[in-house]
Amino acid sequence: MSPAHVRKVAGSERTSSGTAQNAAVPVSAATAPAPPAAPPPGGARPVVLPARGAPDHALAVQDRLAAWVCDLSLVHELTERLAATSTLADTLREVLAAGATLVGASRGLVALEPADGAGPDLTVGLGLAHGDLGALETVGHPPASGGPGTDPGADPGETLLPDLRHDPALAPRHREVAAQLGLGAGYALGLTTTGRHRLGTAVWFYDEPAEPTERQRRLTGLYLRFAAEHIARCLDLRRAQGAAASLTAELLPARLPRVPGVRMAVRHRTGPRGGGDWYDALPLPEGALGLAVGGVTGSGPGAVAAMGRLRASLRAYAVMEGEDPVAVLSDLELLMRLTEPARSATALFGYVTAAPDRGRKVVLAGAGHCPPLLVGDHRCAYAETTLSAPLNMLGCWEAPSVELSARPGESLLLYTDGLLRRTGEPVDRAFAHLHAAAQSAPRAVREDPERLADHVLHALLPDGLDRADGVEDLVLLVTRFE
């Protein structure tokens, strides 16, 4: 194999042994060095800079550019992961993990303390147990989070704590907790939006005395500038969802009534914007019981307000003529046509008589609503209410009622279509799965309406599909007759 060809470089030549030696190269007029410049006035001598090799300089520039590209790629990847989070808790956990990667730390915490005082105040840890967070809360956060006398709206900035166990500037209790938890050093950065609104503090801990490099601090600050804006958006969403959930809760029964021979349980989940699904259970004259579920079209504050008006109206009609569920829904449809012309709603109302010794008679009427499910030791069947349009969909709503007898030990399940929609399956399959979930409940579970409600939800909506942040509202009302 022939030796590799090596480019010649001016001023050197390769000998037979393969080593480069300097060679005398004649200097032509075109390459002759320029004459020295004349000294400037005043006798000052010119500053002669050392010659710098062009190849070495180019390599240094390339290395610096490569480092910048690597840093920007890392920050870009971390911000993409952050943008994929949607809940406030997930966002804070992602900020902690990304910051730990950037500063080279193993543990940390984010203390969310919005300066406007509207909350929520929230602390999330990384590599710290619940007890560790509690111990850190007793000594307060590093100075970046602000201390006594600090302007609440001021930018918390950054704080370097290179030696938590021996820093004389720290209080003895701080050093004691640091030694107890094995914290050697800390680095804190304030979470501040572009509008200078303080959100809280992020702190990362090292196991030994240390501090981040200038490059690590620069990248972490760059990342947190974006992260603070994303946290602020998640915080606004969390507050809006909390306000919608609180409004919905105020418009629904604070608690289920106590009726002799009847036990009840309810599960209610709202979507992120708040929706119009509702339920009700109210004692009626002569020991009777009224049960209702329904849903208003749309979502958001308008749907929640319409749901409240609809439920209040149904309660009034149920007290006046509850023994005739068809009349109750007819009155409700007339009211909606006059006051809510742009909305429609589904509803199911049941009138339960007081005769526990002979079995309770249940009279039901539905307006475009899902049929209830009767569950007991000897049967599990849908009570086929007649098919009818939702309220306010036709010129005049009218449908006959159905009657069934609920034996002692049986439970009646009323629900909204959100329970079926959250499964993501066709309606017929969702009905079949609901039937199977109720039928598969053990006898001990069927005897407790609370356990039966949880069993049906977990069987029908596994893997957290029954969580409150689901897209669809859902209601499940379980009534057991003794």
Side-chain angles (χ1 to χ4, degrees):
M1 179 166 49
S2 59
H5 177 70
V6 181
R7 289 178 50 188
K8 289 187 177 182
V9 181
S12 66
E13 65 179 4
R14 186 164 297 278
T15 64
S16 59
S17 62
T19 59
Q21 294 181 347
N22 292 335
V25 180
V27 180
S28 62
T31 60
R45 298 181 61 82
V47 177
V48 180
L49 297 176
R52 183 169 57 184
D56 294 341
H57 178 63
L59 288 176
V61 172
Q62 291 179 2
D63 291 344
R64 182 173 297 180
L65 288 176
W68 287 348
V69 170
C70 181
D71 291 345
L72 291 177
S73 298
L74 176 59
V75 173
H76 176 71
E77 178 183 353
L78 294 176
T79 52
E80 277 192 329
R81 288 169 49 183
L82 178 65
T85 60
S86 56
T87 65
L88 184 60
D90 289 344
T91 298
L92 297 180
R93 281 191 286 266
E94 178 59 35
V95 168
L96 272 179
T101 300
L102 291 173
V103 302
S106 58
R107 290 179 284 179
L109 65 87
V110 169
L112 189 67
E113 301 168 341
D116 58 7
D121 291 347
L122 182 65
T123 301
V124 177
L126 172 68
L128 295 170
H130 186 72
D132 300 339
L133 293 176
L136 290 171
E137 289 286 346
T138 62
V139 298
H141 305 302
S145 63
T150 304
D151 181 9
D155 183 0
E158 69 172 9
T159 300
L160 284 171
L161 301 170
D163 193 349
L164 287 171
R165 304 173 194 173
H166 306 96
D167 189 348
L170 293 176
R173 177 59 180 163
H174 285 74
R175 297 196 297 267
E176 178 184 346
V177 171
Q180 175 186 348
L181 301 181
L183 305 178
Y187 176 57
L189 274 176
L191 298 171
T192 309
T193 63
T194 304
R196 313 295 290 177
H197 300 297
R198 182 172 64 83
L199 302 177
T201 307
V203 190
W204 291 276
F205 297 107
Y206 299 90
D207 296 335
E208 301 294 336
E211 62 181 81
T213 64
E214 182 64 30
R215 168 182 169 272
Q216 291 173 325
R217 294 166 60 185
R218 174 172 52 82
L219 292 180
T220 308
L222 179 64
Y223 173 78
L224 282 192
R225 280 198 293 273
F226 174 84
E229 302 297 333
H230 188 67
I231 292 174
R233 289 190 289 270
C234 292
L235 181 62
D236 290 340
L237 179 61
R238 169 77 172 268
R239 289 174 174 177
Q241 291 175 348
S246 298
L247 176 60
T248 302
E250 290 295 327
L251 293 175
L252 293 176
R255 61 180 180 83
L256 295 173
R258 294 181 179 273
V259 178
V262 175
R263 288 190 295 156
M264 290 179 285
V266 67
R267 298 293 182 267
H268 179 228
R269 305 287 187 268
T270 58
R273 295 185 57 198
D277 284 10
W278 53 276
Y279 65 93
D280 206 347
L282 66 157
L284 295 175
E286 300 180 359
L289 174 67
L291 300 173
V293 291
V296 178
T297 56
S299 60
V304 174
M307 174 268 289
R309 293 190 294 267
L310 193 66
R311 172 180 167 268
S313 301
L314 186 141
R315 289 177 69 93
Y317 297 143
V319 170
M320 291 187 296
E321 46 190 353
E323 67 279 0
D324 186 358
V326 173
V328 172
L329 294 187
S330 297
D331 292 344
L332 194 62
E333 195 273 339
L334 178 60
L335 178 69
M336 284 194 65
R337 195 189 317 163
L338 297 175
T339 61
E340 306 277 352
R343 291 189 184 275
S344 63
T346 65
L348 179 70
F349 179 73
Y351 180 81
V352 183
T353 61
D357 52 342
R358 301 186 303 272
R360 293 180 182 267
K361 183 178 70 172
V362 183
V363 184
L364 295 162
H369 203 80
C370 305
L373 183 62
L374 193 61
V375 182
D377 293 338
H378 304 290
R379 61 174 171 171
C380 180
Y382 287 106
E384 294 296 341
T385 54
T386 55
L387 296 177
S388 62
L391 301 175
N392 213 20
M393 288 289 289
L394 300 178
C396 180
W397 178 88
E398 185 176 355
S401 62
V402 295
E403 183 179 313
L404 58 91
S405 178
R407 305 163 189 162
E410 292 185 327
S411 298
L412 185 66
L413 275 62
L414 307 183
Y415 53 94
T416 59
D417 59 355
L419 180 65
L420 306 177
R421 292 177 183 271
R422 285 203 184 195
T423 63
E425 297 180 337
V427 176
D428 55 343
R429 294 184 60 184
F431 275 123
H433 286 174
L434 174 59
H435 184 279
Q439 192 174 34
S440 65
R443 183 172 183 178
V445 172
R446 291 198 302 268
E447 292 177 351
D448 185 351
E450 297 284 349
R451 295 178 62 187
L452 181 57
D454 290 335
H455 172 83
V456 170
L457 279 184
H458 296 332
L460 192 63
L461 303 173
D463 303 326
L465 291 177
D466 61 332
R467 293 179 302 176
D469 56 355
V471 176
E472 297 283 347
D473 286 14
L474 73 85
V475 167
L476 175 61
L477 177 63
V478 179
T479 304
R480 176 178 171 82
F481 305 106
E482 303 292 350

